[in-house]
Amino acid sequence: MTVNEILKSLTLKEKIRLLNGVGGWYTFDAAGKLPKIMMTDGPHGLRKQGAGQVDINDSIPSTCFPTASCVANSWDLDLIKEMAGEIADQALQEEVGIVLGCGMNIKRSPMCGRNFEYFSEDPLLAGSLATAYVDAMQKKNVGTSIKHFACNNQETRRQSSDSIVDERALREIYLRPFEIAVRNAQPSTIMASYNKINGKYTCQNKKIIKDILRDEWGFKGALISDWGAAVDFPTCIKAGLNLAMPDSGGYQPGQLEKAFKRGEITEEEINRACEKVIEVVLRFANNQKIKADYNKAHLTAKKIAENSAVLLKNDGALPLKPQKIIILGQMAEDMRIQGGGSSHINATPGPNVIECLKHKGFEIEYEPAYPADDKVESTSDQERKALAEKAVALAKKAAEENTPVLLFCGLTNRTEGEGFDRHDMALPAEQLKVINKIFTVKAKVIAVTFGGSPFALPFYDDLNAILHMALAGEACGEACAALLTGEVNPSGKLSESFPFSEKDLPSRATWGKEESAIEYRESIFTGYRYYDTFKVPVRFDFGFGLSYTSFEYSKLKVSASDFDAADANEALGNVGGKSGYGDTANATNKLTVTFTLKNTGKLAGSEVVQLYVKNPQCDYLRANKELRAFTKVFLQAGEEKEVTLELDAKAFILFDVESGKYIAPSGTYEIQIAASLSDVKLSEKITVKGMDYKANDKERLPSYFEAVDGEMFNHKDFASLYKEPLPDDSAPVPGTFTIYNSLAEGAAISKVCKKQLDKIVNGIIEDNKKMGRNENDPAVKIAVCGMTENPIESIILLTACKFKPKFARALVHLVNRRFLAACRELIFGR
Ligand code: BGC
């Protein structure tokens, strides 16, 4: 049957019902009038919840691949394609139509709890990796849902915060990766984020989801809400949303029916929303069930982990030959392989690094040194002391015997995860305490680190080497051992800057605040664009990573010294391919950049080569330089290759707010071939003929050029950059409180609401206690944050009306001190 035939066969009621999911994961099948499909999380493995599996950590076993933050460090589009292909196979075996991934939000701050699900701080890298993921998965006819579109850059109040972003930052930084993926891979669906963008919830934001996404970029798929994000459903459908997830227990279809009866929405608008849902269902419903090869997938997970780990320091301590070593740190035993929340995979981890190294002939003595993450609260001071003493004693012995110490440490599930943010960049206190003691004995220490995000490394100078495994998936132990011994040569490079501390972050003035309006004051100066432009030192640069071999760069050739960039806006469509954004399939005017790369060491290895374009000096907002192409090259020892990267007008663009188009300002630019952001190996100047661009930002926005009264990017200048009046950020007061406010906001002004919130939170904590989890458990944190910070209506949606609509409405009346209305609602409401 065609989309039209199905649409015609459905009653209005069925069409309305089709726009809301069934249960947690299915589409509606109108009693067999159309097929249904299942969607499940991703993104770095399949999280399919079978019958009766409702707990967030409960799902069928599947392969746990490295997380997005980890695989991004590989900078390898082919590897990410392999990973997506394996996940697609497992989806086909499990009869899943759409994998809810990949996550691709820009990292505005390294402290966002969910950064492990995202690729990078750079739009080109994030967009290129996402394009590869979507392409590979859809080639196997499994749907994708790139998320969370858009500006979902903090977990604090993630369902109610308002991301206030100026047009240039929106276009060049936050929307750009999605634009790259949409234009190049046409994801079958996109997941609209929880938050508001510039005053409007994304699901209701016509400018973002229709004018830009559909009309400008040509998105053809279905737009799905994040789970519980489609508040005020009729407005969402009118704005361009297609499907609200999950099943709201009849609440959302009921809202739509009423809106239709009131004439607020037409049948055409409902049909338009339905068409996309039917298209997607028809596309993925008839897939052949296959048998996935889990052994092969495990090997792929290992290969990705090996190619994504980043060697951050090495004074020659690595690689290690089979010998006697001391291993300290509980994370060597329980290696952290993934993050917590909706992406949590029911993994079957391979052997840990201790077992793997033993297998390779190492003689190992091991002490955990600090308590396991889930035992932090239940470990007594005395037990901690004993753990530390044993570790220090072993380190002392290592120092005396000149035995290397492998120290395992990093961020844990309690410090970062979906639904909550970090407040600083420190490693967990229980680890830091013992680590500092270990250094007093002056052993040779090699750190192996874990985390979904950068962390402060105050003890950097005390280390002889650092191997950053990130969150490397189920084959972490095997990959780690192969890297430590030099069986595999590290080749990952950081896909985000590693700042020294939270005090250095460009977004520090506003990010992660418990306020509804979050001004993105740093504008386009995200990540390295800030550190590099304003000369703020970082621990490790964007793009940094060492190898056991060395590379020599020579013979740079740029195909022209003048470049006509008049077609900047037209060139936008063509990205993807081996060198990401640098692949310029259809652009009319291209620039070819070639150079020779030689492996001058004794080991085979891969080098991630980065092409930055240094922008001209100017009086408008612009980063010093930007990543414009990249590739990864494998070379045998002594081998050399000519490397070619292509650029087109996109390499020189910025978004011109006046004309609403990307333009390339004329000027002298510099093409830089680099091993990392600041390790430029070769460069050549080029004259670009584009637009004579003048903005005079220097006078208008002085704090965007240097600190004014000690402050960069001040509120006054941001207001003028933003142009429109800033959305109202005042907290609700009795009389203005609505069902779109949160229980926490209600609790701040109403005792009754506070009581209700406490009751709900205590209920969650008590229920979890029965499962052996305390309030610091990440799964509990997500649930508590959700109930506290979500709009009240979203609680109705997520509980499928178990949180009763009439009760919610009565509560709103009570907060507004309309006691009679509250009673009426409780007695007569539905
Ligand atoms: C997350 C999504 C996820 C969905 C379904 C939401 O809370 O933000 O990323 O796909 O739940 O589990």
Side-chain angles (χ1 to χ4, degrees):
M1 287 238 277
T2 64
V3 174
N4 257 335
E5 284 164 354
I6 290 179
L7 198 60
K8 278 201 187 122
S9 74
L10 298 177
T11 63
L12 178 68
K13 209 175 166 67
E14 285 168 336
K15 286 191 273 193
I16 285 176
R17 181 65 190 87
L18 180 63
L19 302 181
N20 187 201
V22 172
W25 311 108
Y26 288 94
T27 54
F28 177 63
D29 70 353
K33 285 188 184 171
L34 77 163
K36 64 177 177 191
I37 55 167
M38 182 183 204
M39 12 190 159
T40 74
D41 288 305
H44 55 269
L46 203 67
R47 188 178 77 97
K48 177 181 171 181
Q49 299 201 289
Q53 293 183 311
V54 282
D55 187 78
I56 196 155
N57 291 337
D58 214 1
S59 54
I60 60 147
S62 70
T63 305
C64 176
F65 291 91
T67 61
S69 60
C70 178
V71 70
N73 292 340
S74 76
W75 296 61
D76 191 327
L77 303 177
D78 292 333
L79 270 189
I80 201 159
K81 283 184 185 165
E82 263 188 66
M83 164 172 142
E86 299 286 359
I87 298 171
D89 284 350
Q90 296 183 14
L92 290 171
Q93 162 163 320
E94 292 299 330
E95 297 176 285
V96 169
I98 295 174
V99 174
L100 301 170
C102 48
M104 55 181 298
N105 290 91
I106 287 291
K107 301 179 189 200
R108 186 177 171 229
S109 161
M111 295 187 297
C112 171
R114 211 173 177 185
N115 273 2
F116 70 90
E117 277 192 65
Y118 305 140
F119 292 123
S120 179
E121 66 190 24
D122 180 81
L124 166 63
L125 184 54
S128 304
L129 292 166
T131 301
Y133 183 102
V134 171
D135 244 352
M137 195 164 284
Q138 293 190 172
K139 276 219 173 82
K140 299 213 166 185
N141 209 43
V142 173
T144 53
S145 199
I146 55 174
K147 64 191 188 183
H148 307 90
F149 181 67
C151 301
N152 181 187
N153 307 107
Q154 63 180 54
E155 290 299 280
T156 307
R157 295 184 70 161
R158 66 170 167 162
Q159 289 218 28
S160 49
S161 72
D162 188 357
S163 302
I164 313 291
V165 197
D166 72 277
E167 190 73 17
R168 270 197 62 194
L170 189 63
R171 298 295 197 136
E172 291 176 33
I173 306 290
Y174 296 99
L175 294 185
R176 187 74 185 120
F178 289 97
E179 179 176 15
I180 291 174
V182 168
R183 288 190 190 267
N184 291 281
Q186 271 298 342
S188 44
T189 79
I190 292 182
M191 189 186 290
S193 61
Y194 283 127
N195 51 284
K196 295 177 193 164
I197 304 175
N198 294 337
K200 278 207 175 91
Y201 279 109
T202 313
C203 290
Q204 306 171 0
N205 201 319
K206 182 175 160 290
K207 173 179 165 183
I208 302 287
I209 67 177
K210 180 167 183 304
D211 302 351
I212 295 179
L213 177 63
R214 289 211 188 270
D215 298 350
E216 262 184 50
W217 303 350
F219 172 59
K220 296 191 176 64
L223 188 71
I224 303 178
S225 77
D226 198 343
W227 269 227
V231 292
D232 188 2
F233 188 47
T235 307
C236 300
I237 293 295
K238 276 183 93 71
L241 187 78
N242 300 106
L243 177 63
M245 290 301 292
D247 195 334
S248 63
Y251 183 82
Q252 284 168 319
Q255 281 182 314
L256 210 52
E257 270 170 39
K258 272 189 214 142
F260 177 77
K261 279 187 196 140
R262 286 199 294 259
E264 289 160 9
I265 191 160
T266 63
E267 188 155 357
E268 285 70 52
E269 286 171 312
I270 292 168
N271 286 347
R272 219 177 305 138
C274 285
E275 275 165 18
K276 295 288 170 194
V277 182
I278 301 171
E279 266 172 37
V280 166
V281 168
L282 290 184
R283 181 168 167 193
F284 301 118
N286 292 320
N287 279 337
Q288 285 292 320
K289 191 173 159 81
I290 62 158
K291 203 166 162 17
D293 184 341
Y294 288 82
N295 292 330
K296 182 165 139 273
H298 181 81
L299 293 178
T300 304
K302 175 168 175 273
K303 184 163 70 173
I304 299 172
E306 289 169 348
N307 283 281
S308 304
V310 189
L311 184 64
L312 290 173
K313 181 175 182 180
N314 191 14
D315 67 358
L318 287 177
L320 292 169
K321 283 193 287 296
Q323 57 185 288
K324 187 172 172 198
I325 51 165
I326 303 291
I327 294 188
L328 300 178
Q330 206 276 339
M331 287 178 113
E333 198 182 335
D334 280 339
M335 303 185 84
R336 182 160 176 243
I337 61 170
Q338 60 172 326
S342 61
S343 68
H344 180 93
I345 302 299
N346 179 358
T348 315
N352 68 25
V353 68
I354 307 178
E355 295 163 82
C356 293
L357 287 175
K358 274 190 186 154
H359 191 69
K360 290 183 192 300
F362 282 77
E363 189 192 322
I364 295 175
E365 276 187 84
Y366 161 71
E367 276 299 334
Y370 50 82
D373 188 38
D374 57 355
K375 307 242 161 35
V376 169
E377 292 87 16
S378 59
T379 308
S380 69
D381 284 351
Q382 220 159 10
E383 286 165 325
R384 276 168 205 254
K385 213 169 140 216
L387 281 171
E389 275 170 10
K390 282 191 200 155
V392 176
L394 208 50
K396 202 162 167 221
K397 191 167 128 199
E400 285 158 10
E401 293 173 357
N402 203 17
T403 308
V405 173
L406 284 182
L407 171 66
F408 285 75
C409 57
L411 299 175
T412 61
N413 278 327
R414 272 177 166 55
T415 42
E416 61 175 357
E418 182 180 341
F420 57 95
D421 290 321
R422 287 189 291 159
H423 302 295
D424 57 41
M425 286 184 59
L427 287 178
E430 65 276 3
Q431 293 185 22
L432 277 179
K433 260 192 219 153
V434 54
I435 287 173
N436 286 328
K437 283 189 194 138
I438 288 169
F439 289 127
T440 58
V441 303
K442 305 272 177 256
K444 180 194 254 191
V445 184
I446 297 156
V448 176
T449 55
F450 300 93
S453 259
F455 38 82
L457 270 171
F459 47 88
Y460 171 86
D461 290 336
D462 294 308
L463 294 169
N464 295 77
I466 308 171
L467 178 67
H468 183 48
M469 292 303 298
L471 298 178
E474 67 177 40
C476 179
E478 294 141 278
C480 185
L483 288 154
L484 288 171
T485 53
E487 225 167 89
V488 172
N489 192 350
S491 63
K493 293 201 181 182
L494 294 174
S495 49
E496 59 187 306
S497 316
F498 238 78
F500 278 101
S501 107
E502 62 282 357
K503 295 190 185 75
D504 296 329
L505 307 180
S507 58
R508 63 189 176 276
T510 60
W511 178 87
K513 294 275 169 335
E514 285 284 352
E515 286 150 17
S516 56
I518 303 295
E519 293 174 4
Y520 283 41
R521 286 202 202 143
E522 72 284 9
S523 182
I524 56 168
F525 298 109
T526 311
Y528 72 81
R529 285 171 168 76
Y530 168 73
Y531 305 116
D532 181 49
T533 308
F534 298 100
K535 308 212 167 12
V536 177
V538 291
R539 172 69 75 194
F540 304 114
D541 261 337
F542 177 78
F544 174 76
L546 302 169
S547 163
Y548 295 149
T549 188
S550 49
F551 298 95
E552 189 184 85
Y553 292 66
S554 65
K555 298 188 208 137
L556 173 66
K557 270 186 262 142
V558 180
S559 61
S561 54
D562 290 305
F563 183 74
D564 184 354
D567 68 349
N569 207 41
E570 282 67 38
L572 274 179
N574 321 299
V575 297
K578 183 78 186 151
S579 56
Y581 183 70
D583 190 10
T584 56
N586 302 319
T588 44
N589 196 9
K590 292 181 200 172
L591 207 56
T592 310
V593 180
T594 52
F595 61 95
T596 302
L597 185 71
K598 181 170 185 188
N599 181 345
T600 48
K602 293 197 177 68
L603 283 174
S606 295
E607 172 77 332
V608 173
V609 175
Q610 299 146 57
L611 188 158
Y612 295 92
V613 172
K614 186 169 179 328
N615 295 318
Q617 287 284 344
C618 60
D619 66 354
Y620 46 86
L621 302 196
R622 210 160 196 205
N624 178 44
K625 62 185 189 183
E626 294 171 85
L627 180 76
R628 297 301 197 178
F630 62 87
T631 191
K632 193 167 188 174
V633 186
F634 175 79
L635 292 171
Q636 296 291 352
E639 192 190 359
E640 66 174 43
K641 261 186 200 161
E642 190 177 71
V643 182
T644 302
L645 293 167
E646 274 192 339
L647 297 177
D648 64 15
K650 292 191 298 296
F652 311 103
I653 54 171
L654 57 75
F655 188 78
D656 175 36
V657 179
E658 289 285 294
S659 65
K661 281 187 173 172
Y662 283 100
I663 57 105
S666 298
T668 306
Y669 291 73
E670 190 175 292
I671 310 278
Q672 301 183 336
I673 299 294
S676 75
L677 183 81
S678 59
D679 189 5
V680 177
K681 302 291 189 185
L682 305 165
S683 68
E684 197 164 311
K685 293 218 162 58
I686 177 160
T687 309
V688 171
K689 218 170 85 228
M691 185 179 167
D692 188 14
Y693 186 72
K694 286 198 179 60
N696 205 16
D697 290 339
K698 213 165 187 167
E699 260 171 49
R700 200 166 60 95
L701 314 164
S703 71
Y704 282 78
F705 292 81
E706 59 188 359
V708 173
D709 297 330
E711 195 187 357
M712 292 291 305
F713 319 133
N714 64 31
H715 172 74
K716 180 169 153 276
D717 288 354
F718 177 72
S720 123
L721 172 66
Y722 187 69
K723 286 203 166 111
E724 303 289 321
L726 290 168
D728 179 21
D729 182 28
S730 45
V733 292
T736 67
F737 189 79
T738 72
I739 201 157
Y740 307 117
N741 287 116
S742 66
L743 288 177
E745 286 171 315
I749 48 175
S750 150
K751 280 194 187 131
V752 188
C753 193
K754 167 112 186 37
K755 235 174 150 178
Q756 278 311 318
L757 177 58
D758 290 346
K759 198 171 141 197
I760 293 173
V761 169
N762 289 337
I764 295 173
I765 293 174
E766 286 310 312
D767 285 351
N768 275 281
K769 261 191 199 151
K770 289 178 208 147
M771 290 189 269
R773 298 172 179 156
N774 69 17
E775 63 257 45
N776 293 317
D777 188 284
V780 184
K781 276 190 182 174
I782 297 189
V784 170
C785 286
M787 287 298 154
T788 314
E789 298 180 347
N790 289 6
I792 294 175
E793 192 180 65
S794 171
I795 303 179
I796 302 175
L797 307 180
L798 286 169
T799 59
C801 286
K802 281 197 196 84
F803 188 76
K804 289 201 171 59
K806 72 170 182 179
F807 180 74
R809 285 190 294 263
L811 200 60
V812 171
H813 286 312
L814 278 177
V815 176
N816 286 327
R817 315 231 163 109
R818 292 192 195 112
F819 302 107
L820 267 180
C823 292
R824 218 176 301 129
E825 189 65 64
L826 282 175
I827 298 165
F828 304 111
R830 282 199 291 157

